[in-house]
Amino acid sequence: MYKRVVLKLSGEALAAGKGFGVDAVRVHEIAAEIAEVHAQGVEIAIVVGGGNFFRGVAEQAKAMDRVSADNMGMLATVINALAVQDAIEKQGLHCRVMTAIEMNQVAEPYIRRRAIRHLEKGRIVIFAAGTGNPYFSTDTAASLRAMEIKADVLLKATKVEGIYNADPVVTKDAVKFEQITYMEILRLGLKVMDTTAVSLCKDNNLPMIIFNMNQPGNIRRVIAGEKVGSLVTA
């Protein structure tokens, strides 16, 4: 169904409910799913969040300068990227981490043409350090990178089944949207991803699928075109 995809993984997904740090078992489960999809010839780029270590807008950073806090958050994503890279390489695949903040001893700097070349050669690419700029979330980074590498779709892995009109954890009769437009997300004020990322996807006609990462096999199902999660269109 899709030839080139960007998968957005939150830091919380890597923590597997522990709240802090990286759960080795969960990371290897995710890597195994990614390897399964890669074996079908799909070019995969991954954007990782850093909320399992530090988040610039969280309570832990409330007394900090926003720029310093966001820089710490971006560095946290690099830790996650290296953990995911290691797990993917344990699956026997080639994987590259590219960072928006240069740290040559740890990872490659993000260069768009090099990233595309990695994908064409069958390597998995992990984009770390967000956009490299404060005030921009990793959701925005995922949208931006998806546009830059000309991905067919942005896949946002979450802990719920898709987009609802209310928080399904709090509201038992929340209604799930099978399909919704970016404009409706903005109009209804749904907290799917930040408005900068939504606007970016809307303006550039990038489709996005939000699905439950905790259901084994969902990444494969989404890429195969099965009706999983919620589809967002421009």
Side-chain angles (χ1 to χ4, degrees):
M1 180 73 179
Y2 300 111
K3 182 77 178 88
R4 180 178 292 170
V5 304
V6 169
L7 174 66
K8 168 62 174 44
L9 293 175
S10 67
E12 287 85 347
L14 304 179
K18 292 182 178 177
F20 186 85
V22 174
D23 184 284
V25 174
R26 183 68 185 121
V27 172
H28 281 86
E29 286 173 355
I30 293 170
E33 284 200 53
I34 290 168
E36 184 185 354
V37 172
H38 183 268
Q40 297 172 357
V42 181
E43 295 175 2
I44 305 167
I46 302 167
V47 174
V48 287
N52 54 328
F53 287 111
F54 193 88
R55 188 190 297 277
V57 293
E59 185 70 19
Q60 66 197 122
K62 70 175 182 180
M64 291 183 68
D65 173 68
R66 175 67 190 272
V67 175
S68 297
D70 280 357
N71 284 337
M72 289 174 67
M74 286 187 275
L75 295 179
T77 70
V78 179
I79 298 173
N80 287 335
L82 294 174
V84 175
Q85 179 190 38
D86 180 73
I88 288 172
E89 288 178 340
K90 292 278 197 313
Q91 295 289 327
L93 302 175
H94 295 287
C95 183
R96 299 287 187 273
V97 173
M98 305 188 90
T99 62
I101 298 172
E102 281 200 35
M103 45 185 83
N104 295 325
Q105 288 88 341
V106 176
E108 295 179 22
Y110 170 70
I111 299 170
R112 175 180 168 267
R113 288 178 182 272
R114 186 182 288 177
I116 291 171
R117 188 73 182 127
H118 284 323
L119 292 168
E120 289 171 349
K121 282 183 170 288
R123 298 168 188 146
I124 292 169
V125 180
I126 305 174
F127 298 123
T131 64
N133 301 292
Y135 296 98
F136 290 95
S137 69
T138 49
D139 281 346
T140 302
S143 307
L144 178 63
R145 297 289 180 251
M147 251 90 72
E148 287 182 309
I149 66 169
K150 294 183 165 49
D152 299 322
V153 67
L154 172 59
L155 307 176
K156 184 169 161 62
T158 66
K159 57 189 176 186
V160 291
E161 298 297 328
I163 301 173
Y164 291 80
N165 63 349
D167 186 346
V169 179
V170 180
T171 311
K172 294 299 174 206
D173 56 350
V175 179
K176 179 188 162 193
F177 295 101
E178 296 296 329
Q179 190 166 336
I180 190 171
T181 66
Y182 287 113
M183 191 54 93
E184 286 175 310
I185 288 175
L186 293 171
R187 185 172 55 81
L188 296 171
L190 301 176
K191 298 284 184 270
V192 179
M193 58 200 311
D194 63 282
T195 51
T196 310
V198 171
S199 300
L200 206 53
C201 292
K202 180 177 82 68
D203 293 344
N204 294 278
N205 297 325
L206 178 73
M208 177 174 67
I209 300 174
I210 295 184
F211 66 100
N212 186 352
M213 183 76 198
N214 298 326
Q215 194 73 32
N218 261 1
I219 298 176
R220 177 181 48 77
R221 293 187 194 100
V222 168
I223 292 174
E226 292 183 31
K227 288 275 186 284
V228 177
S230 300
L231 172 64
V232 190
T233 59

